[in-house]
Each structure stands twice: as C-alpha cells, then as structure tokens.
Amino acid sequence: ALIDSLNFIQSIGLDYSYVDLSDSTLEMMISQRALSLASAAAMRQSSKLGRQCRTLGTSTATAARVTASNVNHRLLHVALAGAATATVLATVGATTSSLSGVAGCEANKSGGDVVMLAPTKEPATGILFPRLCNGMQFVGCGVRVKWGFVKVYAVGTYVDPIAMAAIKKEGAKAIEKSLLDPMYPRTLRIVMNRSLSIDKYTAAIIEALEPRMNGQDLEKLDEFKKLNPPVDLIEGAEMEMTIRGDTLLYKNSAGGVGAINSAVFCKAMCDVFYGAETVSPTQKEEVVKGIQAL
C-alpha cells in the first residue's frame, strides 16, 4: 500500500522533497496535477486511457487511506492528501468521452477523429497559450508593456468554468469584481518575451504588490522573492501562479514549486493583474470577454 501511495505521487509529477510543504498546499498541488491528467485523458477521448485513470485513481485512493490510517508517518499523510483527488481522477477517467467538449476537442466530421483546438496566440508577442493549464481553461491573454514600447512578457489567465458558471451571466462589471476575489480559482501563466534579470523581475512584482498590501503581511514579499532561483530569465521562460483563496501556488522558471499562504498577498496579486490599474490592460479586457464566452 505504501508503494502504491508513493507511486501515485510520482505518477502525477511530484517529488518526495515536497513533503516539507503543508498538507493543504500538497493537496492543492496534487489536485491540480491530477485534474490536468484527467483533462488530458478527456482531450484524447481514449477509452483505454480512461480505464487507466480509473484504475489508478481507485486503487491509489484505497491504498492511501489504508496506509495513512495504520501508520503515523509524514509520507503517508502526503499520500492521504492525494486520496480524495485520486477518487476524482477515477471518476473523471470513467467519463472521459463526455468531457471532450470541456477539454476543447471536436470531432472531425469526415472521419470522427479527435481534432485538438489550436492554442491561442497573444497578438503583440506571438506567444502561444494552450487551452488548458493546471486543469483550468484558458480565457484570455495580453502583454505587459514597460515604458510604452518594451513588451516584457505575455500573460494569460485560466479559470475553473464551473466556478465561473453563475458569474459569467451577470455582465462585465460582475466578472471584473469576481477577478479581484481570490476565492475564484485561477492560474496566471507568464511567458517572457525578452531576457530579464531575475532581480528586475522580482523587484517589479514586489513594487506592484507592496502598495496594494496596505502594510500587512509584508514578509510575504520576501518569501515570494525566495521562490525564484538566482538565475536570470531568458526569452520563453515561464512562470505560473495559481490562486485559490488565501494560497498562491507558484511555479518558477526552473520548474520549482512553492506556496505563499496569505489572503492579503493573494488579493493584492489579483489587483495587480485585474484591478483598475492592472499591469496588462489587454489581458484584463480579453479575460472578461473570455469568461463571458465560457
């Protein structure tokens, strides 16, 4: 059972080093990765892959619960954190074909083959954004411009369509308000359009965040800086920020993952990208339109 539990962690792309993170952070990481795999299964409309997901999810959920209930060990609690998600993965695996529309596929009318919809190109930079990221659906992208002409990076937003199902019907103003609320889950994907030192990148983010935090939880700014390795960013480097309530899960350009737990920090980050003085007005505008079209 222990081997099955740890194999599950490996199978969804996590590393044993993550056991130092909190249980809630681990559960979110595992959930996002497992749902991404489930979405991939849906996109392929593969009954075989669906069966594999179902088998993996069911057996792992059982093994994790049994193991964690009998042995008091940190790794086993990690396995337990993924048990509920494994069950979700099993359920999704059983119904992959019914999720094909959500995943962004359509059938080829001539032969019934699955045709993947093309990624979206950010017009100012030409950077591509896939339809899915961390199990969430793409709704819009834009560019961060500095000094009026330097296109620093492209940024895109992915949301949970279910969470936005009600709010999308209430108009643009309601959507803009919801985007300022970190309780609505979303992933921000940033892709560099040019090389930039890591110090300038983190300094720019911190400079935008600090006045929005009103003197609260300012130590989180230093935590954010430490989440980025001391390696300068090159063109094409990617970072991801997933916001859920009071937790921001951050994936840096080297692929390392960490988390910041602060409602103040998460709300400020939402304001940076979706507020009245957003760093990317084009992204905000496209995101609002994209949510209305979900």
Side-chain angles (χ1 to χ4, degrees):
L2 172 60
I3 292 173
D4 286 343
S5 301
L6 297 183
N7 281 344
F8 173 70
I9 297 172
Q10 283 189 313
S11 72
I12 61 175
L14 293 184
D15 187 294
Y16 294 159
S17 63
Y18 291 137
V19 297
D20 291 332
L21 298 175
S22 68
D23 284 335
S24 61
T25 300
L26 276 165
E27 186 172 4
M28 186 169 71
M29 290 167 61
I30 293 171
S31 297
Q32 289 169 353
R33 183 61 183 143
L35 290 176
S36 292
L37 290 177
S39 298
M43 284 193 290
R44 292 181 178 87
Q45 278 190 316
S46 167
S47 58
K48 180 179 179 181
L49 186 55
R51 288 194 299 272
Q52 291 174 345
C53 286
R54 183 168 65 252
T55 301
L56 171 65
T58 303
S59 62
T60 305
T62 303
R65 289 194 180 95
V66 170
T67 309
S69 65
N70 286 283
V71 185
N72 182 20
H73 189 282
R74 179 67 170 134
L75 281 177
L76 307 185
H77 288 295
V78 172
L80 182 59
T85 300
T87 304
V88 172
L89 182 58
T91 303
V92 174
T95 57
T96 50
S97 60
S98 67
L99 290 176
S100 59
V102 176
C105 295
E106 59 183 17
N108 185 316
K109 295 179 181 178
S110 62
D113 295 330
V114 176
V115 178
M116 295 300 299
L117 297 182
T120 299
K121 181 185 290 186
E122 196 288 310
T125 61
I127 291 171
L128 299 177
F129 286 85
R131 307 291 285 193
L132 295 169
C133 182
N134 294 333
M136 299 193 202
Q137 186 171 334
F138 175 82
V139 287
C141 59
V143 62
R144 166 59 165 148
V145 177
K146 192 73 172 176
W147 302 303
F149 64 92
V150 178
K151 301 168 186 175
V152 183
Y153 58 76
V155 55
T157 293
Y158 297 77
V159 302
D160 180 351
I162 297 175
M164 290 293 181
I167 205 71
K168 71 178 184 179
K169 302 175 183 178
E170 299 182 16
K173 292 296 183 183
I175 293 173
E176 289 180 10
K177 184 177 180 180
S178 71
L179 288 171
L180 295 174
D181 185 350
M183 294 306 294
Y184 288 89
R186 87 287 306 269
T187 289
L188 280 154
R189 179 172 177 261
I190 296 173
V191 184
M192 300 304 298
N193 188 53
R194 61 190 297 273
S195 298
L196 187 70
S197 73
I198 192 64
D199 289 337
K200 287 184 178 179
Y201 165 77
T202 54
I205 298 288
I206 289 172
E207 181 182 344
L209 286 169
E210 186 170 5
R212 292 172 163 89
M213 295 175 69
N214 299 316
Q216 303 177 62
D217 286 358
L218 295 181
E219 69 277 6
K220 300 299 179 180
L221 298 175
D222 190 52
E223 286 185 26
F224 174 77
K225 185 176 181 178
K226 291 178 180 177
L227 289 178
N228 293 276
V231 179
D232 290 342
L233 302 174
I234 61 173
E235 182 179 349
E238 300 180 18
M239 286 71 65
E240 294 174 7
M241 305 181 197
T242 298
I243 300 172
R244 290 178 182 269
D246 62 356
T247 300
L248 182 142
L249 185 66
Y250 184 74
K251 181 179 179 181
N252 62 38
S253 61
V257 178
I260 294 178
N261 297 299
S262 166
V264 172
F265 185 91
C266 291
K267 190 173 181 63
M269 189 67 79
C270 289
D271 192 71
V272 168
F273 287 97
Y274 309 105
E277 298 182 10
T278 172
V279 296
S280 179
T282 55
Q283 197 245 174
K284 176 184 174 182
E285 181 180 350
E286 291 302 311
V287 167
V288 172
K289 292 179 182 177
I291 291 175
Q292 288 178 307
L294 283 174

